[in-house]
Amino acid sequence: MVVFILVCMAATMAATLLSLWRMVKGPGILDRVLAYDGIVICALAMMVLFSIYWRTEMFVELIVVIASLGFLTTVAFYYYLSSRREEISEEEGEDQ
């Protein structure tokens, strides 16, 4: 069981590094937002794995709070970007 958890931690760390690379290099802002969401999910997975490894329930509230904040942040970014897209298209329509 310990070996399995350590392998899962290594895979999660690799996924975190790949998401971080996508956040830095991402061609668009939506790619960066999705990479941020991937980093949050990987951080949550690491907390769950540490909680299982240490056989404690200490991280449960923290996991719920961070998951909620990650989701709300992603939704807020999308809402902000969609409203900016509408403003830009309205400005382009006025110029013509």
Side-chain angles (χ1 to χ4, degrees):
M1 181 73 169
V2 173
V3 174
F4 178 72
I5 291 175
L6 292 176
V7 169
C8 289
M9 285 182 185
T12 305
M13 194 55 136
T16 304
L17 291 174
L18 288 172
S19 292
L20 185 64
W21 179 71
R22 175 51 59 193
M23 183 181 265
V24 170
K25 188 171 163 108
I29 189 73
L30 290 177
D31 293 323
R32 291 185 170 102
V33 170
L34 288 176
Y36 165 77
D37 197 36
I39 290 172
V40 169
I41 290 169
C42 289
L44 290 171
M46 287 296 285
M47 280 190 266
V48 168
L49 289 170
F50 277 122
S51 181
I52 292 170
Y53 182 72
W54 289 329
R55 293 187 175 122
T56 183
E57 298 173 0
M58 188 171 58
F59 297 118
V60 172
E61 288 115 11
L62 184 64
I63 290 168
V64 170
V65 168
I66 291 176
S68 300
L69 286 174
F71 173 74
L72 291 175
T73 304
T74 304
V75 170
F77 271 129
Y78 176 76
Y79 180 75
Y80 172 72
L81 292 174
S82 67
S83 66
R84 280 200 59 183
R85 185 180 304 160
E86 290 173 4
E87 289 175 5
I88 291 171
S89 65
E90 287 176 4
E91 288 175 2
E92 288 176 356
E94 292 174 1
D95 291 340
Q96 293 177 358

